[in-house]
């Protein structure tokens, strides 16, 4: 039955479903997972890098985490080429706002404007939805630290802890059990790594399969976005007992 209604995004099925949008969400289910956790003193983003071949030159820049503005960053799951278009759009919008009003763009306003773009691609003929989900981490003077999740349909919501990508259901239920409201940033990192280690397809967690980024306020009160180096990440994995220390030669 669905075959008659899934050829384009502009047609509802008799059950009221848009199959192309659902298929786009399904595509994200095969992508490397990403987890975001909101803590009292920052936001933690952790992403799984899919290493498809040993011959691939690992990129020096991050693959799952992107800085949009000084106070907003995001983690991505899905088709990276689609994500790049949306990230560039978000960066331009953030700079336009700063240029016009001389202050950083409120986090939700940026997320909403990006989701408006995504929604347009589900309503007009001849276009396909963006096959990408985002976790946005940000800070603004109105609401402090915030974490938003958005999907290809253009829906978004504020979350305390969220997971996107492969095995996101299992990760979400683990987060639901273990998340506490007054969690510190360090505990949030530990929780994110623990959840990822249990839900990732690969058997052992190593720093070359992971990316970790944190958004927090520095001692001077400025918002700081910091990506964890592979060495620091390896030490962290051993410290939290998520991976075994390398055997001494």
């Amino acid at each position: 039955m669905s075959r008659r209604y899934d050829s384009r995004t502009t047609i509802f099925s008799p059950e009221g479903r848009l199959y192309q949008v659902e298929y786009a969400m399904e595509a994200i289910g095969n992508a490397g997972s990403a987890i975001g956790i909101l803590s009292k003193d920052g936001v933690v983003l952790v992403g799984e890098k899919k290493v498809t071949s040993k011959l691939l030159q690992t990129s020096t820049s991050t693959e799952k985490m992107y800085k949009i503005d000084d106070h907003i960053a995001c983690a991505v799951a899905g088709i990276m080429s689609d994500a790049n278009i949306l990230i560039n759009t978000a960066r331009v919008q953030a700079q336009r706002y700063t240029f016009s009003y001389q202050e950083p763009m409120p986090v939700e306003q940026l997320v909403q404007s990006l989701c408006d773009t995504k929604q347009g691609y589900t309503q007009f003929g001849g276009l396909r939805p963006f096959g990408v989900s985002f976790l946005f981490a940000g800070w603004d003077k109105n609401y402090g630290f915030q974490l938003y999740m958005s999907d290809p349909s253009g829906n978004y919501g504020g979350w305390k802890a969220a997971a996107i990508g492969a095995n996101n259901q299992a990760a979400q239920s683990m987060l639901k059990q273990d998340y506490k409201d007054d969690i510190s940033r360090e505990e949030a990192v530990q929780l994110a790594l623990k959840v990822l280690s249990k839900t990732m397809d690969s058997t052992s967690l190593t720093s070359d399969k992971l990316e970790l980024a944190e958004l927090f306020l520095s001692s001077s009160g400025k918002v700081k976005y910091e990506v964890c180096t592979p060495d620091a990440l390896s030490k962290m994995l051993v410290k939290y007992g998520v991976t075994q220390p390398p055997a001494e030669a």
Side-chain angles (χ1 to χ4, degrees):
M1 185 66 179
S2 76
R3 286 279 163 255
R4 285 163 55 188
Y5 298 98
D6 67 359
S7 60
R8 47 184 79 165
T9 57
T10 51
I11 298 177
F12 279 102
S13 77
E15 302 97 58
R17 291 161 70 177
L18 290 169
Y19 284 107
Q20 281 294 312
V21 178
E22 288 181 26
Y23 296 160
M25 292 181 193
E26 205 58 45
I28 292 157
N30 306 323
S33 46
I35 291 172
I37 298 177
L38 188 65
S39 68
K40 59 186 178 188
D41 53 348
V43 190
V44 174
L45 296 173
V46 184
E48 172 198 356
K49 273 201 263 192
K50 288 265 187 189
V51 183
T52 49
S53 165
K54 286 181 181 169
L55 300 174
L56 263 178
Q57 174 71 54
T58 51
S59 66
T60 48
S61 62
T62 52
E63 188 177 304
K64 301 280 288 183
M65 310 291 169
Y66 293 89
K67 184 177 178 178
I68 293 172
D69 200 353
D70 288 338
H71 65 301
I72 304 177
C74 68
V76 175
I79 302 169
M80 288 315 303
S81 50
D82 284 10
N84 288 333
I85 299 288
L86 287 169
I87 288 161
N88 283 341
T89 307
R91 283 172 175 165
V92 169
Q93 283 172 340
Q95 294 308 313
R96 277 189 185 147
Y97 186 96
T98 308
F99 182 71
S100 301
Y101 303 107
Q102 257 73 80
E103 65 172 23
M105 189 170 189
V107 182
E108 188 173 359
Q109 194 174 332
L110 180 68
V111 174
Q112 190 174 1
S113 69
L114 202 61
C115 287
D116 288 348
T117 306
K118 279 190 181 187
Q119 188 276 335
Y121 279 72
T122 68
Q123 200 170 8
F124 302 108
L127 305 171
R128 71 163 175 79
F130 287 98
V132 65
S133 272
F134 286 101
L135 288 174
F136 294 96
W139 183 91
D140 62 41
K141 60 183 185 189
N142 305 316
Y143 297 108
F145 290 108
Q146 295 152 73
L147 175 70
Y148 292 96
M149 177 167 81
S150 85
D151 62 30
S153 65
N155 280 328
Y156 74 92
W159 292 74
K160 291 175 179 173
I164 54 175
N167 305 323
N168 62 342
Q169 295 288 318
Q172 202 80 42
S173 58
M174 282 178 72
L175 288 168
K176 199 185 274 186
Q177 284 173 343
D178 297 344
Y179 181 82
K180 301 190 298 290
D181 273 346
D182 58 344
I183 195 167
S184 71
R185 205 169 79 236
E186 197 174 319
E187 289 169 330
V189 171
Q190 190 174 352
L191 174 59
L193 292 175
K194 179 187 135 187
V195 170
L196 210 53
S197 71
K198 292 198 174 156
T199 56
M200 252 168 78
D201 296 331
S202 56
T203 46
S204 64
L205 275 189
T206 54
S207 58
D208 56 353
K209 290 181 189 165
L210 283 183
E211 276 177 21
L212 188 141
E214 296 174 87
L215 191 95
F216 55 95
L217 289 179
S218 65
S219 49
S220 61
K222 273 205 164 122
V223 185
K224 193 172 181 197
Y225 169 68
E226 200 172 77
V227 178
C228 195
T229 62
D231 292 346
L233 194 50
S234 298
K235 286 176 187 160
M236 218 179 271
L237 291 170
V238 174
K239 179 184 167 188
Y240 296 137
V242 183
T243 189
Q244 302 306 313
E248 295 299 323

